[in-house]
Amino acid sequence: MAAMKKILECVPNFSEGRDLEKIEKIIEPFRGRDGVKLLDYQSDKDHHRSVVTVVGEPQPLETAVIESMGVAIDIIDMRTHKGQHPRMGAIDVVPFIPVKDITMGEAIEVSRAIAQKAADTYNLPVFLYEKSATKKDRQNLAAIRKGQFEGMPEKIKQPQWAPDYGPAQIHPTAGVTAIGARMPLVAFNVNLDTPHLDIANQIARKVRHISGGLRYCKGIGIELKDRNIVQVSLNMTDYTQTALYRVFELIRIEAQRYGVNVIGSEIIGLVPMEALIDCAAYYLGLEDFTMAQVLEARIWE
Amino acid sequence: MAAMKKILECVPNFSEGRDLEKIEKIIEPFRGRDGVKLLDYQSDKDHHRSVVTVVGEPQPLETAVIESMGVAIDIIDMRTHKGQHPRMGAIDVVPFIPVKDITMGEAIEVSRAIAQKAADTYNLPVFLYEKSATKKDRQNLAAIRKGQFEGMPEKIKQPQWAPDYGPAQIHPTAGVTAIGARMPLVAFNVNLDTPHLDIANQIARKVRHISGGLRYCKGIGIELKDRNIVQVSLNMTDYTQTALYRVFELIRIEAQRYGVNVIGSEIIGLVPMEALIDCAAYYLGLEDFTMAQVLEARIWE
């Protein structure tokens, strides 16, 4: 019934997590704008960082993101910024995620257009990362961000770290920004009935990609001291390829070696419905089920 | 992002599941009409039945439903209809389900207006059922349908089974129809690795409400002759109260008595996303999960 629209999600991370008035100013461009919807924002004082979640059609979303970046550049001074989370700029990172009727290719195009415009408008060096990266060693945000704001003036002068857009020197107060397209990320934690962190860490090593596990899975062990248990804390970087139920069942199986049980799990933040419906389809053994059978998916398609 | 509109779902069940040309004719009135969207239709040869799912704004939806009923009355002859699913008319049942920005009260009004119009236009006896029922013993479709098409000529003459609209005699070829407003219904079938229909029937009796089972669950045994297996065919009449995983696990447990295994399941037609996400949340043991964490639920709220 609704007109066909392309919907893109954007989750910009700003290096301001303490001054609520400043945060409101940065978010203001996402409010009350046709074709853009602010879904969520969370600020963390220790990290001194705010994470905003917004969805929209590509064109109005682009306008809103560029405006918001301008506000952040005006009011954040990285020279005095201290926080626990690694960061390299006032607008640290701006990921774009395809949500509806939009391909990854289109999301990459949008990310590049915004990177170009931000660089031109604000004289800001921008690195393309993840699916938008122009070189393999820029896919990983951590590699780009290594050295952080303080190390960036020297790093950016090296030819291999020349920015994709903007000058080869940092913005004096806003540093540099990474912009790119990526798959939706699901933060999924699995709780174990043991207080031993080493068990969670050993299981994390078994299931995560880097040490022999599932392709689109990152994981570490975490202590939940108030509950006297541990959890395997996971970032599922492509649930369409590595389903949540698969890592959940693997963790259950690995935990058996230690006489440990999985006692629950949690999703942090937002999750695409398909990531959970895939799990229901697995556990119920649904035959020939497709997302086209989901009422809401069909009404709004 | 989409304009706010009242959306009603309609899921008419037609007693034709084999002749694709006839099925297409019955569905035609739901295609290419402003304010109406055909979401799905599925035909079952064993049941000899087609289930159509359409959403729309009340007025255009009413026009399309009346037209489609006329086509079905023209081309379906119940005197020669044989199928495994109980049925009493060419248009067996026409439920209306509130989906968005519409109350159950409004859905009841629409169902009554359509019942009146169908009776007047086609000289068809119509029973109001579920939330639209005028008497308590007509809330349950199975009670109205008892005796099926073959028993209806006698049943309808009894004063307590006089139809709500139309004549107190069946339409000679189209029988009778039930129309009413109800909660979303999920058609959920669970397959067993046995050819014995009596096992499926015995399990159905254990899990369905009427014989001691779950409150919002109806069920019967069905043979899938082409696969040489049977299934417990369920109508879940309020998934918000009786979750799908609960009946699935009960069937698994009952099947163990017979040395029989659940080998899969299927959803017929459409399912609200929440019905499946509830299952994922159960099997993953999700703690503190809410539908507000589902990306799509937030986008379309």
Side-chain angles (χ1 to χ4, degrees), chain B residues 267-301:
Chain B
I267 301 272
I268 304 297
L270 293 182
V271 56
M273 66 172 167
E274 193 174 6
L276 291 178
I277 286 176
D278 281 347
C279 295
Y282 168 74
Y283 287 109
L284 297 176
L286 285 181
E287 300 175 4
D288 303 323
F289 185 78
T290 74
M291 286 300 289
Q293 286 181 261
V294 177
L295 179 65
E296 288 81 356
R298 296 295 307 282
I299 292 176
W300 302 121
E301 75 188 351

Short mmCIF file of all heavy atoms in Angstrom, two decimals, chain B residues 267-301:
data_model
loop_
_atom_site.label_atom_id
_atom_site.label_comp_id
_atom_site.label_asym_id
_atom_site.label_seq_id
_atom_site.Cartn_x
_atom_site.Cartn_y
_atom_site.Cartn_z
N ILE B 267 4.12 -23.24 7.73
CA ILE B 267 3.17 -22.16 7.92
C ILE B 267 2.41 -22.03 6.61
O ILE B 267 3.03 -21.91 5.55
CB ILE B 267 3.90 -20.83 8.21
CG1 ILE B 267 4.79 -20.93 9.45
CG2 ILE B 267 2.91 -19.68 8.27
CD1 ILE B 267 4.14 -20.61 10.74
N ILE B 268 1.08 -22.08 6.67
CA ILE B 268 0.29 -21.88 5.47
C ILE B 268 -0.12 -20.41 5.43
O ILE B 268 -0.70 -19.90 6.39
CB ILE B 268 -0.97 -22.78 5.47
CG1 ILE B 268 -0.58 -24.25 5.62
CG2 ILE B 268 -1.78 -22.56 4.20
CD1 ILE B 268 0.27 -24.80 4.51
N GLY B 269 0.20 -19.76 4.34
CA GLY B 269 -0.17 -18.36 4.21
C GLY B 269 0.75 -17.47 5.01
O GLY B 269 1.92 -17.78 5.21
N LEU B 270 0.18 -16.40 5.52
CA LEU B 270 1.00 -15.38 6.17
C LEU B 270 1.00 -15.53 7.69
O LEU B 270 0.09 -16.12 8.27
CB LEU B 270 0.48 -14.00 5.80
CG LEU B 270 0.63 -13.62 4.34
CD1 LEU B 270 0.12 -12.21 4.10
CD2 LEU B 270 2.09 -13.71 3.91
N VAL B 271 2.02 -14.97 8.29
CA VAL B 271 2.17 -15.04 9.73
C VAL B 271 2.69 -13.68 10.23
O VAL B 271 3.60 -13.13 9.62
CB VAL B 271 3.12 -16.20 10.11
CG1 VAL B 271 4.46 -16.07 9.43
CG2 VAL B 271 3.29 -16.31 11.62
N PRO B 272 2.10 -13.13 11.29
CA PRO B 272 2.66 -11.90 11.85
C PRO B 272 4.08 -12.16 12.37
O PRO B 272 4.34 -13.21 12.95
CB PRO B 272 1.72 -11.57 13.01
CG PRO B 272 0.46 -12.32 12.74
CD PRO B 272 0.88 -13.57 12.01
N MET B 273 4.97 -11.22 12.15
CA MET B 273 6.37 -11.46 12.53
C MET B 273 6.52 -11.81 13.99
O MET B 273 7.38 -12.60 14.37
CB MET B 273 7.25 -10.26 12.16
CG MET B 273 7.00 -8.99 12.91
SD MET B 273 8.29 -7.76 12.48
CE MET B 273 7.56 -6.28 13.15
N GLU B 274 5.67 -11.24 14.83
CA GLU B 274 5.79 -11.47 16.27
C GLU B 274 5.59 -12.95 16.63
O GLU B 274 6.21 -13.45 17.57
CB GLU B 274 4.78 -10.60 17.02
CG GLU B 274 5.05 -10.56 18.51
CD GLU B 274 4.15 -9.58 19.23
OE1 GLU B 274 3.23 -9.01 18.60
OE2 GLU B 274 4.36 -9.38 20.44
N ALA B 275 4.75 -13.66 15.87
CA ALA B 275 4.49 -15.08 16.17
C ALA B 275 5.77 -15.90 16.03
O ALA B 275 5.99 -16.86 16.77
CB ALA B 275 3.39 -15.61 15.26
N LEU B 276 6.61 -15.56 15.04
CA LEU B 276 7.86 -16.30 14.84
C LEU B 276 8.98 -15.77 15.73
O LEU B 276 9.81 -16.53 16.23
CB LEU B 276 8.27 -16.26 13.37
CG LEU B 276 7.36 -17.06 12.44
CD1 LEU B 276 7.81 -16.93 11.00
CD2 LEU B 276 7.33 -18.53 12.85
N ILE B 277 9.00 -14.45 15.93
CA ILE B 277 10.05 -13.88 16.77
C ILE B 277 9.90 -14.39 18.21
O ILE B 277 10.89 -14.63 18.90
CB ILE B 277 10.04 -12.34 16.66
CG1 ILE B 277 10.62 -11.96 15.28
CG2 ILE B 277 10.83 -11.68 17.79
CD1 ILE B 277 10.60 -10.50 14.95
N ASP B 278 8.67 -14.60 18.66
CA ASP B 278 8.44 -15.22 19.97
C ASP B 278 9.10 -16.60 20.06
O ASP B 278 9.62 -16.97 21.11
CB ASP B 278 6.93 -15.41 20.23
CG ASP B 278 6.26 -14.12 20.66
OD1 ASP B 278 6.96 -13.17 21.00
OD2 ASP B 278 5.01 -14.11 20.65
N CYS B 279 9.05 -17.36 18.97
CA CYS B 279 9.67 -18.69 18.95
C CYS B 279 11.18 -18.58 19.02
O CYS B 279 11.84 -19.31 19.76
CB CYS B 279 9.26 -19.45 17.68
SG CYS B 279 7.50 -19.84 17.62
N ALA B 280 11.75 -17.66 18.24
CA ALA B 280 13.20 -17.45 18.28
C ALA B 280 13.62 -17.07 19.70
O ALA B 280 14.60 -17.59 20.23
CB ALA B 280 13.61 -16.37 17.28
N ALA B 281 12.86 -16.18 20.31
CA ALA B 281 13.19 -15.71 21.66
C ALA B 281 13.16 -16.87 22.65
O ALA B 281 13.99 -16.97 23.55
CB ALA B 281 12.23 -14.60 22.10
N TYR B 282 12.20 -17.80 22.47
CA TYR B 282 12.13 -18.96 23.36
C TYR B 282 13.34 -19.87 23.15
O TYR B 282 14.04 -20.23 24.10
CB TYR B 282 10.84 -19.76 23.14
CG TYR B 282 10.92 -21.10 23.84
CD1 TYR B 282 10.80 -21.16 25.22
CD2 TYR B 282 11.19 -22.26 23.14
CE1 TYR B 282 10.94 -22.37 25.89
CE2 TYR B 282 11.34 -23.48 23.81
CZ TYR B 282 11.21 -23.52 25.18
OH TYR B 282 11.37 -24.71 25.84
N TYR B 283 13.61 -20.27 21.91
CA TYR B 283 14.66 -21.26 21.67
C TYR B 283 16.05 -20.71 21.96
O TYR B 283 16.96 -21.45 22.33
CB TYR B 283 14.57 -21.81 20.25
CG TYR B 283 13.39 -22.75 20.08
CD1 TYR B 283 12.27 -22.39 19.35
CD2 TYR B 283 13.40 -24.00 20.69
CE1 TYR B 283 11.19 -23.25 19.21
CE2 TYR B 283 12.32 -24.87 20.57
CZ TYR B 283 11.22 -24.49 19.83
OH TYR B 283 10.15 -25.35 19.72
N LEU B 284 16.25 -19.40 21.75
CA LEU B 284 17.55 -18.80 22.05
C LEU B 284 17.63 -18.39 23.52
O LEU B 284 18.68 -17.93 23.97
CB LEU B 284 17.80 -17.59 21.16
CG LEU B 284 17.88 -17.85 19.64
CD1 LEU B 284 18.05 -16.51 18.89
CD2 LEU B 284 19.04 -18.79 19.29
N GLY B 285 16.55 -18.52 24.25
CA GLY B 285 16.54 -18.09 25.65
C GLY B 285 16.82 -16.61 25.81
O GLY B 285 17.51 -16.18 26.74
N LEU B 286 16.28 -15.78 24.89
CA LEU B 286 16.57 -14.35 24.93
C LEU B 286 16.03 -13.72 26.21
O LEU B 286 14.86 -13.90 26.55
CB LEU B 286 15.95 -13.64 23.72
CG LEU B 286 16.63 -13.84 22.37
CD1 LEU B 286 15.87 -13.05 21.29
CD2 LEU B 286 18.09 -13.41 22.42
N GLU B 287 16.88 -12.98 26.88
CA GLU B 287 16.49 -12.29 28.12
C GLU B 287 16.12 -10.85 27.80
O GLU B 287 16.80 -10.19 27.03
CB GLU B 287 17.65 -12.31 29.12
CG GLU B 287 18.09 -13.73 29.51
CD GLU B 287 19.31 -13.73 30.42
OE1 GLU B 287 19.79 -12.65 30.81
OE2 GLU B 287 19.80 -14.85 30.72
N ASP B 288 15.03 -10.37 28.40
CA ASP B 288 14.64 -8.95 28.30
C ASP B 288 14.48 -8.46 26.86
O ASP B 288 14.79 -7.31 26.55
CB ASP B 288 15.68 -8.04 29.00
CG ASP B 288 15.88 -8.43 30.45
OD1 ASP B 288 14.89 -8.80 31.09
OD2 ASP B 288 17.03 -8.37 30.93
N PHE B 289 14.02 -9.35 25.97
CA PHE B 289 13.86 -8.92 24.59
C PHE B 289 12.48 -8.30 24.38
O PHE B 289 11.49 -8.77 24.93
CB PHE B 289 14.03 -10.11 23.64
CG PHE B 289 14.00 -9.71 22.19
CD1 PHE B 289 15.11 -9.14 21.60
CD2 PHE B 289 12.85 -9.89 21.44
CE1 PHE B 289 15.08 -8.76 20.27
CE2 PHE B 289 12.81 -9.52 20.10
CZ PHE B 289 13.93 -8.95 19.52
N THR B 290 12.41 -7.20 23.62
CA THR B 290 11.10 -6.61 23.29
C THR B 290 11.02 -6.39 21.78
O THR B 290 12.04 -6.25 21.10
CB THR B 290 10.88 -5.25 23.98
OG1 THR B 290 11.68 -4.26 23.31
CG2 THR B 290 11.23 -5.29 25.45
N MET B 291 9.77 -6.34 21.27
CA MET B 291 9.57 -6.11 19.84
C MET B 291 10.13 -4.75 19.40
O MET B 291 10.38 -4.54 18.22
CB MET B 291 8.08 -6.22 19.49
CG MET B 291 7.55 -7.64 19.51
SD MET B 291 8.39 -8.76 18.33
CE MET B 291 7.77 -8.12 16.77
N ALA B 292 10.30 -3.83 20.36
CA ALA B 292 10.87 -2.52 20.02
C ALA B 292 12.33 -2.64 19.59
O ALA B 292 12.91 -1.68 19.08
CB ALA B 292 10.74 -1.57 21.21
N GLN B 293 12.94 -3.82 19.78
CA GLN B 293 14.31 -4.03 19.31
C GLN B 293 14.36 -4.53 17.86
O GLN B 293 15.44 -4.70 17.31
CB GLN B 293 15.03 -5.04 20.22
CG GLN B 293 15.40 -4.45 21.57
CD GLN B 293 16.14 -5.48 22.42
OE1 GLN B 293 15.55 -6.12 23.29
NE2 GLN B 293 17.42 -5.65 22.18
N VAL B 294 13.19 -4.80 17.29
CA VAL B 294 13.16 -5.27 15.91
C VAL B 294 13.18 -4.06 14.97
O VAL B 294 12.30 -3.21 15.03
CB VAL B 294 11.92 -6.14 15.64
CG1 VAL B 294 11.86 -6.57 14.18
CG2 VAL B 294 11.93 -7.36 16.56
N LEU B 295 14.21 -4.00 14.16
CA LEU B 295 14.44 -2.84 13.30
C LEU B 295 13.19 -2.45 12.52
O LEU B 295 12.76 -1.30 12.53
CB LEU B 295 15.60 -3.16 12.33
CG LEU B 295 15.98 -2.07 11.34
CD1 LEU B 295 16.53 -0.85 12.04
CD2 LEU B 295 16.99 -2.60 10.32
N GLU B 296 12.57 -3.45 11.85
CA GLU B 296 11.42 -3.14 11.00
C GLU B 296 10.23 -2.64 11.81
O GLU B 296 9.47 -1.78 11.35
CB GLU B 296 11.01 -4.38 10.19
CG GLU B 296 11.98 -4.74 9.07
CD GLU B 296 13.19 -5.51 9.56
OE1 GLU B 296 13.33 -5.74 10.79
OE2 GLU B 296 14.01 -5.91 8.71
N ALA B 297 10.05 -3.17 13.02
CA ALA B 297 8.95 -2.71 13.86
C ALA B 297 9.13 -1.23 14.19
O ALA B 297 8.16 -0.48 14.27
CB ALA B 297 8.87 -3.54 15.14
N ARG B 298 10.38 -0.81 14.34
CA ARG B 298 10.65 0.58 14.65
C ARG B 298 10.47 1.48 13.44
O ARG B 298 10.00 2.61 13.54
CB ARG B 298 12.08 0.73 15.21
CG ARG B 298 12.29 0.01 16.53
CD ARG B 298 11.42 0.62 17.63
NE ARG B 298 11.64 2.05 17.71
CZ ARG B 298 12.69 2.59 18.29
NH1 ARG B 298 13.59 1.86 18.90
NH2 ARG B 298 12.84 3.90 18.32
N ILE B 299 10.86 0.96 12.29
CA ILE B 299 10.76 1.79 11.08
C ILE B 299 9.29 2.09 10.76
O ILE B 299 8.94 3.19 10.38
CB ILE B 299 11.43 1.08 9.88
CG1 ILE B 299 12.94 1.02 10.10
CG2 ILE B 299 11.10 1.80 8.58
CD1 ILE B 299 13.69 0.26 9.03
N TRP B 300 8.43 1.07 10.93
CA TRP B 300 7.03 1.21 10.48
C TRP B 300 6.08 1.61 11.58
O TRP B 300 4.89 1.66 11.38
CB TRP B 300 6.56 -0.10 9.85
CG TRP B 300 7.41 -0.52 8.70
CD1 TRP B 300 8.11 -1.66 8.58
CD2 TRP B 300 7.65 0.23 7.50
NE1 TRP B 300 8.78 -1.68 7.38
CE2 TRP B 300 8.52 -0.54 6.71
CE3 TRP B 300 7.22 1.47 7.03
CZ2 TRP B 300 8.96 -0.11 5.46
CZ3 TRP B 300 7.67 1.90 5.80
CH2 TRP B 300 8.53 1.11 5.03
N GLU B 301 6.57 1.85 12.78
CA GLU B 301 5.66 2.12 13.90
C GLU B 301 4.91 3.43 13.64
O GLU B 301 5.36 4.27 12.91
CB GLU B 301 6.43 2.19 15.21
CG GLU B 301 7.23 3.46 15.39
CD GLU B 301 8.14 3.41 16.61
OE1 GLU B 301 8.01 2.47 17.41
OE2 GLU B 301 8.96 4.32 16.75
#
